[in-house]
Amino acid sequence: MNRNLKASLMLFITAIIWGLAFVAQTAGMEHLGPFAFTSARSFVACVFLIVTYFIFKNSKVVADIHSYSIRRTVKGGLICGVAFTFSVNLQQIGLVYTTAGKAGFITALYIVFIPIIGLLFGKKLDKKLTLCIITAMVGTYIMSVKGEFRINKGDFIVFLSSITFAIHLMLMAEFSKDTDSIILSFIQFLVCGIISGIIAYMGEDIKIEAILKSYITILYVGILSSGVGFTLQIIALKDLDTVIASMITSLESVFGAIFGWILLNQAMNEREILGAFLIFLATLFAQIPVEKLIRKKFKNS
């Protein structure tokens, strides 16, 4: 099988896993609070990543070919861990008040927010991205605002998480150089697990029985969404252009809506479907290098 095709299939599987994770996150809070669920999934991810590291540490599948700085790896893990804690907990809290499908599409806005945040650091915003941002905002309004100008509480919280996810992704990109990916991710989940656990202990009623009742969703999100999804993404990015890769993984929003409808009976009405379509269209178009394609076309003609 062609390496690019193989990598594309890996990311397609990852998008399915992450789409179903929205359902698992919603179902997991039937017995646990949002912070307790996040803490549990994070520690499961830590265990999985430790096992993965020791199994594949000498393999080029996950090991970095070049040398890395353990100091920079730890620093990156700590910083990204704090950002991830904010992001995932905002998303988890938002899922208490909104559907898995809507949360998936709103979360996907992080791809649009990245260039906006880049403006603060002197990066220019081109016309294409400006159009995408406006389209995405219109889609969010159509999908989330009902009647008078009142946005759904859960949609707004997930909207905030998409901003923090954009910051988290930019930090991950920054610390992806000269670091060990698996160790960095382990520290990130460890930080998230500890902080979320402390908050859950202070403000939520945690019982062993509740954790055991939610073990299926915790294991799914911890192992498959965090562990397997992360590993597949690393492997695929070795052979696939990052733009194409992000386009494939953005399909998680579509799968989130599909699984939410099938498993949780969270169907969207026509207005919400239209809004979701506009968000997905803006997200997808934002990642297509239109100018490069046009230049390449004129060059070949």
Side-chain angles (χ1 to χ4, degrees), residues 8-20 225 228-233 236 249 252 255:
S8 297
L9 288 174
M10 286 181 180
L11 288 180
F12 186 74
I13 293 171
T14 300
I16 296 175
I17 291 173
W18 286 346
L20 185 54
S225 179
V228 175
F230 172 80
T231 304
L232 287 178
Q233 188 179 48
T249 53
E252 65 175 306
F255 289 116

Side-chain angles (χ1 to χ4, degrees), residues 29-43:
M29 288 187 293
E30 290 182 8
H31 307 288
L32 287 173
F35 288 101
F37 183 84
T38 297
S39 180
R41 68 170 279 188
S42 297
F43 285 125

Side-chain angles (χ1 to χ4, degrees), residues 31-33 35-37 39 196-211:
H31 307 288
L32 287 173
F35 288 101
F37 183 84
S39 180
S196 300
I198 292 173
I199 297 175
Y201 178 78
M202 294 173 61
E204 297 176 358
D205 184 20
I206 307 174
K207 296 180 180 179
I208 299 298
E209 295 83 359
I211 296 176

Side-chain angles (χ1 to χ4, degrees), residues 33-96:
F35 288 101
F37 183 84
T38 297
S39 180
R41 68 170 279 188
S42 297
F43 285 125
V44 169
C46 285
V47 173
F48 179 84
L49 287 168
I50 288 174
V51 174
T52 300
Y53 179 78
F54 282 106
I55 291 176
F56 298 106
K57 65 178 181 178
N58 296 320
S59 170
K60 291 183 180 180
V61 173
V62 294
D64 290 324
I65 298 175
H66 57 81
S67 59
Y68 64 91
S69 167
I70 187 63
R71 182 177 180 179
R72 181 171 169 79
T73 299
V74 173
K75 179 182 178 181
L78 292 173
I79 294 175
C80 292
V82 173
F84 181 73
T85 301
F86 275 99
S87 304
V88 74
N89 280 305
L90 281 171
Q91 183 188 72
Q92 196 67 44
I93 294 170
L95 281 166
V96 175

